[in-house]
Amino acid sequence: MQETIKTGVVVLSRDPGDFDDLSYKQWHNELVTLAKQHDGLIDVDLQKPLEGVQDQWVQVLTYDTIDNLKALLDDADYRSAVESSEERFGTPVIQQVVANSKPSALPVTVVISQLVKPGCEEAYQEWQLDMDLAAKKFPGFLGTEMIKPLPGVQNEWVVIFRFDSARHLDDWFASDIHKDLLKQAEPFFEKVHVRRVGRGFEDWFANAAGEGESGPSQVRMAMVVLLALYPTVMLLTLFVSPLMASWGLPLSMFVSNVLSVVILTWAVMPLATRALSFWLDQETGSGTFVTILGGTLIVGLYLISISLFIWLTG
């Protein structure tokens, strides 16, 4: 049985107005920066309006306890940011606070790439709307987003589904209505690719700005993981492994791996992602200068780490 927890959730909703997507996403990131200053923030989400499914912008901030959420709601800077946003965007914001008792589970996302046959685009969009409306009725549905093809860049239609847990997502996929809708759409597609987004390395990069976006590139994530992993493993090997020499390799290796994961997840990676957020964020890190600066810094830290451990083991 899953452990039952009571989380604190604040939901902000706003009607579309005379503002663009980028400006609203920037404001969302400003709000998340304020939220991160309080303990217990475990999840954020930004959902765009989707015709026929969701009429408003929706922001969700989830804290591990009601008390930690209350600390945010009592923050004068947070209240000012919410109140001033009405003048900034020209439409009122509605705030709802929920004490949410539910099985602890992490949201999951499925990214579906669909190559639609020429001439079937209009019928496909009508079918996708039916799919969205059906999914909305299922427990745990958080939102969906459609990304249209970009000529010369992306040929597929991309649809993103979000559910609050793997179990609810699986229930939707296994449902008869989902299977029936898929069968109806078979004439539209030349190719379909489904990718289930887990909560692996991406969770380690929650401190990089730009929540609700796809996050840092895999290359940058891998470089930062290596930067954090190498000194962690070296320090454990030099100072902890000798204490477990008599335990045998299988047991000592298991304990060492447990310590590595704990140290990376709750200590090293949060520090590393905060320090390198200027490079990891898709918007601030996309420029040539910042890209080169961040890459050079990472490589320099690699060399410093190697030199330090050569000196320690010499």
Side-chain angles (χ1 to χ4, degrees):
M1 179 181 292
Q2 291 179 306
E3 178 186 1
T4 300
I5 60 174
K6 178 167 285 189
T7 57
V9 182
V10 58
V11 180
L12 301 172
S13 54
R14 184 193 307 275
D15 290 333
D18 187 20
F19 53 87
D20 56 40
D21 290 4
L22 179 58
S23 63
Y24 204 76
K25 290 177 182 178
Q26 289 173 340
W27 180 72
H28 172 72
N29 289 339
E30 294 169 9
L31 208 63
V32 171
T33 298
L34 290 173
K36 286 180 179 178
Q37 296 174 7
H38 299 276
D39 294 336
L41 182 66
I42 58 176
D43 193 35
V44 300
D45 192 23
L46 173 63
Q47 300 174 19
K48 295 172 55 178
L50 183 63
E51 184 178 355
V53 178
Q54 175 181 295
D55 298 330
Q56 298 176 311
W57 286 90
V58 177
Q59 296 159 272
V60 184
L61 304 174
T62 304
Y63 282 81
D64 58 355
T65 66
I66 300 299
D67 288 341
N68 284 334
L69 172 61
K70 189 175 184 299
L72 171 70
L73 300 178
D74 291 340
D75 187 323
D77 290 336
Y78 169 81
R79 294 200 305 269
S80 176
V82 173
E83 292 170 3
S84 63
S85 71
E86 297 193 9
E87 181 178 354
R88 181 174 176 178
F89 296 108
T91 56
V93 63
I94 298 173
Q95 177 172 279
Q96 297 170 292
V97 178
V98 181
N100 190 25
S101 296
K102 64 178 183 179
S104 59
L106 290 171
V108 291
T109 300
V110 167
V111 181
I112 305 173
S113 302
Q114 299 159 135
L115 188 60
V116 178
K117 294 178 180 178
C120 296
E121 292 85 356
E122 184 175 345
Y124 161 74
Q125 291 181 74
E126 293 176 356
W127 169 84
Q128 186 61 57
L129 180 58
D130 291 338
M131 179 72 82
D132 295 341
L133 293 172
K136 186 179 181 181
K137 298 176 183 178
F138 274 71
F141 176 77
L142 296 179
T144 185
E145 180 177 1
M146 174 186 284
I147 303 172
K148 296 182 179 181
L150 295 175
V153 177
Q154 169 192 305
N155 296 323
E156 294 86 2
W157 293 74
V158 178
V159 179
I160 302 171
F161 282 94
R162 298 184 182 89
F163 279 76
D164 65 356
S165 70
R167 179 172 61 83
H168 283 147
L169 174 64
D170 291 339
D171 289 345
W172 158 241
F173 274 157
S175 67
D176 290 337
I177 188 170
H178 182 260
K179 294 177 181 177
D180 290 341
L181 285 167
L182 285 180
K183 190 172 182 179
Q184 293 176 24
E186 288 177 358
F188 304 155
F189 300 139
E190 291 185 4
K191 181 178 63 175
V192 177
H193 177 70
V194 178
R195 182 167 66 92
R196 188 167 179 150
V197 180
R199 302 284 291 191
F201 283 175
E202 287 83 357
D203 277 347
W204 282 352
F205 291 84
N207 292 305
E211 284 80 357
E213 305 298 327
S214 59
S217 69
Q218 292 290 330
V219 172
R220 296 192 187 190
M221 284 195 288
M223 290 177 70
V224 177
V225 170
L226 177 59
L227 178 66
L229 182 63
Y230 173 69
T232 300
V233 172
M234 284 298 299
L235 289 171
L236 289 173
T237 301
L238 291 175
F239 299 108
V240 178
S241 293
L243 303 177
M244 301 183 294
S246 61
W247 296 12
L249 182 60
L251 180 57
S252 63
M253 182 63 70
F254 176 79
V255 173
S256 181
N257 287 340
V258 169
L259 292 174
S260 297
V261 171
V262 170
I263 292 170
L264 287 170
T265 301
W266 285 284
V268 179
M269 287 303 299
L271 292 174
T273 54
R274 284 191 180 97
L276 295 166
S277 61
F278 74 94
W279 183 65
L280 292 169
D281 178 55
Q282 280 193 321
E283 293 181 8
T284 62
S286 60
T288 302
F289 175 76
V290 175
T291 298
I292 295 174
L293 176 63
T296 302
L297 177 61
I298 294 283
V299 173
L301 291 172
Y302 288 160
L303 296 175
I304 291 172
S305 296
I306 294 170
S307 300
L308 175 62
F309 288 113
I310 289 175
W311 175 75
L312 286 174
T313 57

